[in-house]
Amino acid sequence: MLILLMAIMTTWALARSSPPTAPGAVGPTSASPSPSSSPSAAPSISVDQSLEPPTPETQPSGAATGPGPSAAPTAGSVDPAADPFAPSSVEPFSSGSVSLTVGSDYQLGLEDWDDEFGNRVDIQFTWTGIVGRNTNQLALLQAGEARSFATCQTKTAWASALNWSQVSAGTYTCIKWGNRRGLMRIDYLPDLDAKYPEVTVTGIIWSPTVKG
């Protein structure tokens, strides 16, 4: 009887020393850090490729690209800056630009600086070269000579004709038209292999008359 009483008292003492466990509760486990105590995760960065600087191949239109290489001059062209037919110290008598068919009956008439027919022709363009008609003569400008009335006024080496081999696109030649002087530029040489080759010339006849 005494032994039974001592066993009951021991069981009661142990029960008082251990806190009761709630029904369904799980025993203690290893503690997990709370979200507030863990370090913040680095935000994910996505790069929008559409904002990347354009490559030279996709340079937007209108973007400055700097001066490019100068365009090569067209064969047979004449630099407009070299045109001597605008201002002059003397008045023009006639001037103009005209394209003529080599060997045609229509050739250069200097009174109007236009294509003329028959007896009014002053300069003729043949298959061999440029010919002065009705005593009109030609003189090539040499290197360093000014393209001016004064230069053509004092010319002495006149010729009745010039061969195509003596001229090229951009060549200047003085004209002796009676007692007047003029200047002519060969703008475009004729293609003598063509069926109807054409030559283009620009020029001026000055108003003052000269002797000789």
Side-chain angles (χ1 to χ4, degrees), residues 61-137:
S61 61
T65 56
S70 300
T74 305
S77 64
V78 178
D79 183 2
D83 191 348
F85 305 120
S88 179
S89 58
V90 293
E91 291 295 319
F93 176 82
S94 64
S95 62
S97 180
V98 62
S99 294
L100 300 157
T101 302
V102 169
S104 169
D105 291 334
Y106 284 88
Q107 301 290 320
L108 181 59
L110 298 174
E111 186 172 357
D112 301 312
W113 199 271
D114 203 350
D115 54 332
E116 301 290 352
F117 177 80
N119 293 331
R120 296 189 63 184
V121 171
D122 296 306
I123 303 291
Q124 186 176 18
F125 300 91
T126 71
W127 290 90
T128 56
I130 308 170
V131 179
R133 293 272 301 272
N134 302 317
T135 70
N136 300 316
Q137 295 182 299

Side-chain angles (χ1 to χ4, degrees), residues 8 52 54 60 86 102 114 117 141 146 197 206:
I8 292 171
E52 290 296 304
V102 169
D114 203 350
F117 177 80
L141 255 67
W206 284 291

Side-chain angles (χ1 to χ4, degrees), residues 141-142 144-152 174 183:
L141 255 67
Q142 304 300 320
E145 287 188 305
R147 302 158 187 165
S148 66
F149 169 75
T151 299
C152 295
C174 289
L183 184 64

